[in-house]
Amino acid sequence: MRKKKLSRLLEPGLQLYFVCLLVFALVSFTLNPLLGGTELVIVLLLYLYFRHSSGQRQKEILKYIDNVTCNVDVATKDTMINAPLPMVIFRPESDEVIWSNDRFLQLTGEREHLFDTKLSSVVPGFSSRWLMEGKTECPAEVELSGRKYLVFGHLVRTDEKGAHSFLATTYWVDVTDYSMVREQYYGSRPVCAILTLDNYEELLKGVSDTAKSAILSGIDEKLEEWTAPSGGLFCKYDRDRYLFLFEERCLPQLQEGKFAVLDAVRSVLNPKGMPATLSIGMGRDADTFQELFQYAALSVEMALSRGGDQVVIKNKFNFEFFGGHAKELEKRTKVKSRVMSSALGELIADASNVFVMGHKFPDLDCIGAAAGVCAAARKKGSPVYIIKDPNPNPAADMASRLAALPEYRDVFLSPQDAMIKADSRSLLVVVDTNRPEQTISEDLLLSCNKVAVIDHHRRAATYIADAALNFHEPYASSASELVTELLQYLLEPADLLRTEAEALLAGIVLDTKQFTMRTGSRTFDAASFLRRAGADTGDVRRLFQNDLDGTIARYDIIRNARMYRSGVAVAVVDHTVGRVTAAQAADELLNISGVDSSFVLFPDGERVIISARSMGDTNVQLILEKLGGGGNATAAGGQIPGELGDVARSLLSAIDQYFESN
């Protein structure tokens, strides 16, 4: 059948010409029989010659094609059998081997054919899913008989008994030597680590020289014991800093050991019983040693900004965090606050406009800190504006009270209006957050050349970089406390409006849970300054009153809470509730005996809102950070995209990981 079709394709299409000649001959015959008869004879002879020559030509062409096809088949079979690469043909649906060449039999150790054998039984762990997905290269190297192979292949569709099926042809390339060189290369790449004693000053303050030597000697001994197995370079280059260079192949061992040096150093105590704490910043995957050291410096800065006593590793793309379970210790000094206030005052005085922006869904701490910055700008005589969040938020009542003041007429602006007013000399002060994606308007953040950040939350992997001023203190109770400290050096208590003082005090009260959590001596100093400025504690307390419906909703959440594990209460709400209500419910759960940390989840459109609180022993920020949230050790939150059930399972998994690693 195929030859007949081919014959028709090879046969010249001259039939139409002979028909035309025959018609002309018949017409001539009607006019002149002798001439017409002659033409008919000539046409007949030409047709017979055409048929004879065409048949001969077809035979020669078919003979040539058969010869070529036969040679190609022979060459194809010889190539498959004697191919330099191991080959195997199998059915991807059933994993049944159809054919394999001798080289594939040699690498599998089989002496005979593999017909009717499952490929996965010959090559354990091999999967052909990548072929069914349309890929031509196996995404992972396949290990067989101590060698590593890169597998290439393709699918051919076949028809058997009217049913469609596939045959997979694979080629196995031995890349063992290349893989060994690659692993050796990556394993020998340098890693730079900077180790710093977090509390060097506090540890050695008021200690005798003999005790100092003993403490530092004990710390050095712990560090040398930890670094010795890696065979790297370890040296001390400052009074409280060490440099550690080692190969990347040692890094997984250190990670598996959960950086036990943190606990080892913490066992060194000064005569007053204060433990030494260590922060480690590591840089890896850099192109030069200079870049590697920069990565390590950024990592140790990140570790210190998150409270210290932890390890941060930075590569080209992101940060990794380890540790950070210890409670934060207050390390702020009045010297730093005075320097920061002076720098902020100069920035405000030189600015054409001052914009103050907090995080999305601002709370009382956010609006209080913003009001404090407005007071400083008013003292310096600079125009100031607060970027308002158009959505309902917990700070709406306080914002309304501020907007009613004559000094705050036209102070609240939308992000769009602020973009129009901004120029090259504008200053943007970001309060109560350090993450660009959490600000009310990220476009405004990118538009301003000068940015100042005042925040108390632990720094996350994404943060506002290259700020002109960065007053970031994770040891502070609130952003309002930090702003109040700055105001003490920028203005007198009489320069602060009563409503501004109450807004700042409300922010401190909110984040300290009525001065019961994360409070230090500086917190009460700030509150004392605000009280002298006219803040009424009774008015502040009334800001935290709830209506009856909100109270019922809060206790309904508490009623549905369940103990997940010892000390952990989780409340999963299947309907949308107010964020303030959820946060208050999380706080209220801590009042229950036996509850050390609480989590409240509820759906909000295509995302899930989480509020987490802790008495201090559990670091809820580390737990929610795995889900994309943030905050600090005792109060954290997150807006996680996904379904409620999926996010709840992810949260429980993160809780388990936290307690297993702690």
Side-chain angles (χ1 to χ4, degrees):
M1 182 65 72
R2 239 180 292 176
K3 287 189 176 182
K4 290 182 179 180
K5 291 182 181 179
L6 186 60
S7 299
R8 286 197 295 270
L9 291 173
L10 296 174
E11 184 178 343
L14 300 178
Q15 290 83 351
L16 181 61
Y17 300 101
F18 284 110
V19 170
C20 292
L21 290 174
L22 183 60
V23 171
F24 287 139
L26 292 175
V27 173
S28 299
F29 186 79
T30 58
L31 300 176
N32 188 339
L34 180 60
L35 178 61
T38 303
E39 290 179 355
L40 287 171
V41 172
I42 293 173
V43 170
L44 180 61
L45 292 174
L46 287 173
Y47 181 74
L48 293 174
Y49 174 74
F50 164 73
R51 294 295 300 173
H52 176 71
S53 61
S54 178
Q56 291 294 328
R57 190 185 307 107
Q58 289 178 9
K59 290 180 181 179
E60 292 295 330
I61 292 174
L62 291 173
K63 182 178 179 182
Y64 174 77
I65 291 174
D66 286 341
N67 186 33
V68 170
T69 303
C70 181
N71 291 338
V72 169
D73 289 342
V74 172
T76 301
K77 293 177 181 178
D78 182 71
T79 300
M80 293 178 65
I81 295 173
N82 299 311
L85 296 177
M87 294 176 58
V88 60
I89 300 175
F90 64 96
R91 299 186 188 277
E93 302 97 335
S94 60
D95 204 29
E96 179 184 347
V97 176
I98 303 299
W99 176 87
S100 62
N101 62 0
D102 291 338
R103 290 186 179 273
F104 187 81
L105 293 175
Q106 292 174 5
L107 68 91
T108 58
E110 299 288 340
R111 296 185 178 181
E112 299 181 357
H113 62 77
L114 296 173
F115 302 143
D116 299 330
T117 304
K118 298 288 185 180
L119 182 59
S120 57
S121 63
V122 180
V123 186
F126 179 76
S127 172
S128 60
R129 183 175 179 179
W130 54 279
L131 283 167
M132 303 300 291
E133 293 174 350
K135 299 177 183 177
T136 58
E137 180 180 344
C138 185
E141 294 175 355
V142 179
E143 188 169 351
L144 180 62
S145 301
R147 310 287 292 180
K148 292 185 177 181
Y149 296 88
L150 195 58
V151 184
F152 299 89
H154 63 274
L155 288 179
V156 177
R157 189 170 182 174
T158 61
D159 295 324
E160 294 184 3
K161 299 179 181 180
H164 299 299
S165 62
F166 294 94
L167 286 180
T169 303
T170 55
Y171 311 87
W172 299 59
V173 182
D174 192 335
V175 293
T176 306
D177 295 338
Y178 163 77
S179 180
M180 291 177 61
V181 171
R182 181 187 61 202
E183 291 178 2
Q184 185 176 3
Y185 165 72
Y186 283 112
S188 62
R189 297 191 71 182
V191 176
C192 177
I194 297 176
L195 294 77
T196 181
L197 293 174
D198 299 336
N199 56 346
Y200 179 86
E201 297 288 349
E202 295 83 354
L203 193 68
L204 303 181
K205 186 176 181 180
V207 176
S208 65
D209 292 340
T210 304
K212 286 181 182 179
S213 299
I215 293 170
L216 295 177
S217 176
I219 293 173
D220 290 344
E221 181 181 351
K222 300 294 184 182
L223 295 178
E224 290 174 0
E225 182 180 349
W226 180 68
T227 58
S230 64
L233 171 65
F234 177 70
C235 64
K236 187 174 186 177
Y237 72 94
D238 202 351
R239 61 174 190 171
D240 59 348
R241 295 212 167 192
Y242 303 80
L243 182 67
F244 180 32
L245 290 174
F246 60 98
E247 292 184 338
E248 193 161 331
R249 63 168 57 92
C250 301
L251 185 57
Q253 300 175 1
L254 300 179
Q255 291 175 337
E256 290 174 4
K258 298 179 181 179
F259 295 99
V261 67
L262 298 179
D263 295 328
V265 170
R266 210 179 297 119
S267 65
V268 178
L269 307 176
N270 71 355
K272 300 177 182 178
M274 176 183 290
T277 59
L278 183 73
S279 288
I280 303 176
M282 293 187 178
R284 57 185 292 264
D285 193 24
D287 297 327
T288 63
F289 279 100
Q290 181 180 5
E291 188 178 19
L292 197 68
F293 187 81
Q294 291 175 351
Y295 284 178
L298 285 173
S299 297
V300 77
E301 180 184 346
M302 173 71 77
L304 293 173
S305 68
R306 289 166 56 87
D309 191 38
Q310 57 190 279
V311 180
V312 179
I313 303 175
K314 175 173 172 50
N315 56 25
K316 286 184 177 180
F317 306 104
N318 52 31
F319 291 91
E320 295 179 79
F321 305 102
F322 303 87
H325 302 295
K327 293 184 179 180
E328 299 164 346
L329 300 175
E330 185 175 353
K331 302 178 185 178
R332 290 177 295 147
T333 63
K334 291 186 177 181
V335 175
K336 183 176 181 180
S337 297
R338 187 171 63 251
V339 171
M340 286 292 177
S341 66
S342 176
L344 180 62
E346 292 179 3
L347 288 173
I348 292 175
D350 294 339
S352 59
N353 295 293
V354 178
F355 300 104
V356 188
M357 181 169 63
H359 53 76
K360 297 175 183 176
F361 199 72
D363 54 12
L364 287 173
D365 184 33
C366 185
I367 194 66
V373 176
C374 286
R378 189 173 61 251
K379 180 69 174 179
K380 295 292 182 179
S382 299
V384 62
Y385 305 95
I386 297 177
I387 309 304
K388 61 182 179 181
D389 189 342
N391 302 312
N393 56 76
D397 291 342
M398 178 54 72
S400 299
R401 290 179 58 181
L402 289 170
L405 300 174
E407 293 84 356
Y408 278 80
R409 183 176 299 137
D410 300 326
V411 166
F412 287 90
L413 282 183
S414 67
Q416 294 76 18
D417 292 336
M419 292 282 289
I420 296 174
K421 284 183 174 291
D423 56 33
S424 59
R425 293 180 53 233
S426 295
L427 170 67
L428 174 64
V429 182
V430 178
V431 295
D432 205 28
T433 184
N434 60 72
R435 301 177 67 173
E437 67 275 10
Q438 289 186 349
T439 57
I440 293 176
S441 175
E442 194 169 353
D443 293 334
L444 180 61
L445 176 63
L446 297 174
S447 300
C448 293
N449 295 327
K450 291 188 294 183
V451 178
V453 179
I454 303 174
D455 185 37
H456 69 111
H457 295 99
R458 282 190 171 196
R459 185 173 290 178
T462 57
Y463 61 94
I464 300 173
D466 302 324
L469 181 142
N470 195 336
F471 191 30
H472 180 236
E473 295 290 348
Y475 319 102
S477 68
S478 58
S480 295
E481 178 186 333
L482 294 176
V483 171
T484 303
E485 281 197 353
L486 298 178
L487 292 178
Q488 294 180 57
Y489 300 99
L490 291 172
L491 46 77
E492 296 296 326
D495 297 326
L496 198 62
L497 301 177
R498 175 180 174 178
T499 306
E500 290 173 335
E502 290 177 352
L504 285 163
L505 184 58
I508 297 175
V509 170
L510 174 69
D511 278 13
T512 59
K513 308 297 182 293
Q514 306 287 341
F515 294 96
T516 60
M517 303 290 296
R518 295 173 56 82
T519 52
S521 60
R522 309 290 289 278
T523 308
F524 292 100
D525 288 343
S528 176
F529 174 83
L530 296 174
R531 187 71 182 88
R532 293 197 303 272
D536 190 318
T537 54
D539 289 343
V540 171
R541 180 176 178 81
R542 278 189 283 272
L543 290 172
F544 294 91
Q545 288 182 326
N546 297 296
D547 56 19
L548 182 60
D549 292 338
T551 304
I552 293 173
R554 182 170 77 250
Y555 283 105
D556 186 59
I557 295 173
I558 297 172
R559 184 172 58 84
N560 292 319
R562 297 290 181 271
M563 297 298 295
Y564 174 62
R565 56 191 302 160
S566 178
V568 180
V570 179
V572 180
V573 185
D574 59 2
H575 58 278
T576 303
V577 298
R579 297 192 191 184
V580 176
T581 302
Q584 291 175 344
D587 287 328
E588 194 77 21
L589 283 169
L590 296 182
N591 294 329
I592 299 174
S593 176
V595 176
D596 179 66
S597 57
S598 61
F599 300 85
V600 176
L601 303 80
F602 66 90
D604 183 23
E606 297 181 353
R607 59 187 178 179
V608 176
I609 308 299
I610 303 179
S611 290
R613 298 293 185 267
S614 171
M615 295 293 289
D617 292 335
T618 303
N619 192 327
V620 292
Q621 185 258 346
L622 289 180
I623 295 174
L624 291 194
E625 193 173 54
K626 297 181 181 297
L627 305 180
N632 52 52
T634 58
Q639 303 176 19
I640 318 301
E643 297 294 331
L644 179 63
D646 296 336
V647 175
R649 284 188 289 272
S650 299
L651 173 63
L652 298 181
S653 176
I655 293 172
D656 290 337
Q657 292 177 20
Y658 172 83
F659 283 100
E660 289 171 2
S661 62
N662 193 12

